[in-house]
Amino acid sequence: MVMLDRDFASTLHQRRQNLKQQIEFPAILWSGCARSRNFPANKFPFRASSHFLYFAGLPLENAAIRLQEGKLTLYWDNPAPESTLWHGQQGDRDEIAAQIGADAAYPLTELCDRPQDAATIALPDPITYQQQINILNRPLPLPQHSQGQDLALIKAIISLRLTHDRSALSELQKAANVAVEAHKTGMTTARKAKTEAEVRGAMEGVIIAQNMTCSYNSIVTIQGEVLHNEHYHNPLQPGDLILADVGAETSLGWASDITRTFPVTGKFSPTQREIYNLVLAAQDRCIDRLAPGVEYRDIHLLAALTITEGLVDLGILRGNPAELVDRDAHALFFPHGIGHLLGLDVHDMEDLGDLAGYAEGRQRSDRFGLGYLRLDRPLRSGMLVTIEPGFYQVPALLQNPEMRAKYKDAVNWERLEQFADVRGIRIEDDVLVTESGSEVLTEKLPKCAENIEELVMRNW
Ligand code: GLY
Ligand code: MN
Ligand code: MN
């Protein structure tokens, strides 16, 4: 199955003790099950629920754990004897229980006997969701609408998962390292590739060859202005920039999330270089500012201000940069938030709505320039966040008559036309908040324009 560190079971034990400090009632967490494609045994890849993974450690399918007073009981059925024909010899329940340091282990059917008053978190897969309702014998709202003990459990788990222990950081660094190699390969492949798909294939090949998976659907596109573009058919032409947003996930489920933007030919045009350096300046300034106690929202606003100052200097925006940010003019070109939590998931814990991303009592702004901010908390040592400023020319925003009217005086539209070869640029790194500031887990991947050019040209 998966290689485990020697201190794996003790890490899981410590996480259970930490949960015990926060809740006095039992909790049951389900792992979920894989969805089938055209016939039952032909499945989409299974991904265990991250809340389950955090405490149980291993991606067991169709399993549940009961957590009570620091003890873990595993509920999982031994593989059926006939399944060895198709799947080979697999670990049985007692072996798995020993690996994860479970205090007891039973078949899944026995879970029905002990649901009393247990809190849980609803899973998105419909089969498991129905099992949860049947076993708990009560309605189960979506996590973001939870109440009572379910909500208390969610808050307790958030408080644990917001910062990472040593074992998690070791996995996160592995995921970061593999994504760094994937991005280097993407850059060195670009000049000989004919399509986006070839670059994607080369990048994902590095991840797969390390027995990892992608932590989200890769974005590898010359249409960088399409924020979550998942098409890979475009041919690569001289003058194109490739925006590659590709991350790796370790076999235990820990994620990385990196974006680089590089020229297909290995040479940025003067206009592309101007905007690239501006996005990079915003990212550098934000990373320099990260430290415990700093508000992540202020990091977002710092990126907005830096991009706006740069666009004023380039003559694309007109006016006082701070006033332009107050008017959300930056969001015409930088419409998303500066980043998010990263951990067992990319956009970590967003299955809980904004309960993890937003501090208690805070809500999403309805401002154009703040509404897509996914994290609004004071930073703490041990948090892992992405810092991912960008510049995009999104036709749906820039051609929108209301937007054009609203920002008539703020944008020099003629000057903007001179930057038509800059469709979308994003630079994204994974940054750990530390006691003294921050540490970039993905720092081994070049990001200054000259180093990117050198990598794309390498071996050519
Ligand atoms: N990869 C998705 C994101 O950067 O948020
Ligand atoms: Mn991201
Ligand atoms: Mn990303």
Side-chain angles (χ1 to χ4, degrees), residues 81-124:
E82 61 272 23
S83 83
T84 54
L85 172 63
W86 301 101
H87 303 293
Q89 204 64 42
Q90 296 155 286
D92 71 9
R93 182 172 49 249
D94 290 339
E95 285 168 14
I96 299 283
Q99 280 182 319
I100 68 174
D103 298 282
Y106 302 101
L108 189 61
T109 43
E110 295 194 23
L111 185 59
C112 305
D113 300 337
R114 311 199 56 218
Q116 317 94 324
D117 300 331
T120 195
I121 303 177
L123 288 204

Side-chain angles (χ1 to χ4, degrees), residues 23 44 119 155-156 161 163 171 176 178 182 221 232 246 255 274 284 346 354 359 389 411 442:
I23 58 167
F44 288 102
K155 288 184 177 173
R161 287 185 54 194
T163 57
E171 285 290 307
V178 169
T221 183
Y232 313 98
V246 177
E274 294 275 20
D284 283 339
V346 73
D354 280 338
V411 179
T442 47

Side-chain angles (χ1 to χ4, degrees), residues 133-443:
I133 290 173
N134 293 347
I135 287 179
L136 297 172
N137 194 26
R138 61 180 170 85
L140 194 53
L142 292 175
Q144 58 269 43
H145 301 131
S146 293
Q147 294 185 333
Q149 288 193 347
D150 289 344
L151 182 59
L153 170 66
I154 285 172
K155 288 184 177 173
I157 290 180
I158 288 171
S159 79
L160 301 187
R161 287 185 54 194
L162 272 177
T163 57
H164 297 296
D165 55 35
R166 208 162 47 86
S167 177
L169 286 173
S170 150
E171 285 290 307
L172 289 161
Q173 186 65 67
K174 284 186 216 165
N177 293 348
V178 169
V180 164
E181 291 310 313
H183 277 263
K184 286 184 182 167
T185 298
M187 290 182 208
T188 52
T189 303
R191 278 188 70 117
K192 50 183 180 283
K194 294 190 178 54
T195 61
E196 296 161 331
E198 278 182 59
V199 179
R200 175 200 181 196
M203 296 182 76
E204 293 191 1
V206 173
I207 293 172
I208 292 165
Q210 294 301 319
N211 197 27
M212 293 194 186
T213 55
C214 293
S215 46
Y216 50 90
N217 292 339
S218 301
I219 299 164
V220 181
T221 183
I222 57 165
Q223 290 178 279
E225 77 280 11
V226 182
L227 295 181
H228 282 173
N229 196 357
E230 292 179 8
H231 301 288
Y232 313 98
H233 58 272
N234 285 309
L236 306 178
Q237 312 276 6
D240 286 337
L241 292 177
I242 298 180
L243 186 155
D245 185 344
V246 177
E249 176 178 309
T250 70
S251 52
L252 298 182
W254 297 85
S256 56
D257 180 9
I258 304 182
T259 307
R260 288 291 184 272
T261 309
F262 47 94
V264 167
T265 57
K267 202 84 194 147
F268 287 99
S269 73
T271 41
Q272 289 169 343
R273 188 181 303 271
E274 294 275 20
I275 301 286
Y276 187 90
N277 285 337
L278 169 52
V279 175
L280 184 59
Q283 203 219 24
D284 283 339
R285 256 177 111 179
C286 289
I287 292 174
D288 282 350
R289 188 70 66 86
L290 293 185
V294 170
E295 289 286 350
Y296 191 75
R297 177 193 169 99
D298 289 340
I299 299 294
H300 174 77
L301 289 170
L302 180 62
L305 181 64
T306 309
I307 288 168
T308 304
E309 285 169 350
L311 294 178
V312 169
D313 288 345
L314 289 173
I316 293 173
L317 284 175
R318 288 192 274 235
N320 173 289
E323 286 169 17
L324 288 167
V325 171
D326 285 344
R327 290 175 59 193
D328 293 327
H330 64 279
L332 280 171
F333 302 101
F334 170 44
H336 58 74
I338 187 64
H340 49 84
L341 293 166
L342 185 62
L344 274 164
D345 282 302
V346 73
H347 297 198
D348 206 26
M349 297 185 277
E350 271 192 31
D351 58 315
L352 308 175
D354 280 338
L355 287 172
Y358 276 61
E360 195 119 18
R362 298 187 187 180
Q363 283 176 348
R364 287 222 184 199
S365 165
D366 55 11
R367 265 180 63 180
F368 172 43
L370 279 173
Y372 289 113
L373 187 58
R374 297 173 185 278
L375 176 59
D376 185 5
R377 282 182 177 273
L379 295 171
R380 282 166 44 195
S381 174
M383 277 183 177
L384 182 63
V385 297
T386 66
I387 297 294
E388 48 180 304
F391 170 96
Y392 314 88
Q393 297 206 51
V394 184
L397 291 178
L398 298 178
Q399 303 304 331
N400 178 315
E402 277 176 32
M403 287 289 179
R404 285 186 87 97
K406 182 171 174 193
Y407 295 109
K408 192 162 174 280
D409 61 315
V411 179
N412 181 339
W413 300 99
E414 275 171 25
R415 176 73 175 136
L416 182 62
E417 278 171 20
Q418 294 168 3
F419 290 81
D421 67 346
V422 189
R423 302 178 69 168
I425 291 176
R426 175 162 68 255
I427 306 171
E428 175 175 27
D429 282 288
D430 303 345
V431 191
L432 178 69
V433 181
T434 63
E435 294 292 345
S436 58
S438 71
E439 179 191 337
V440 181
L441 300 193
T442 47
E443 74 176 350

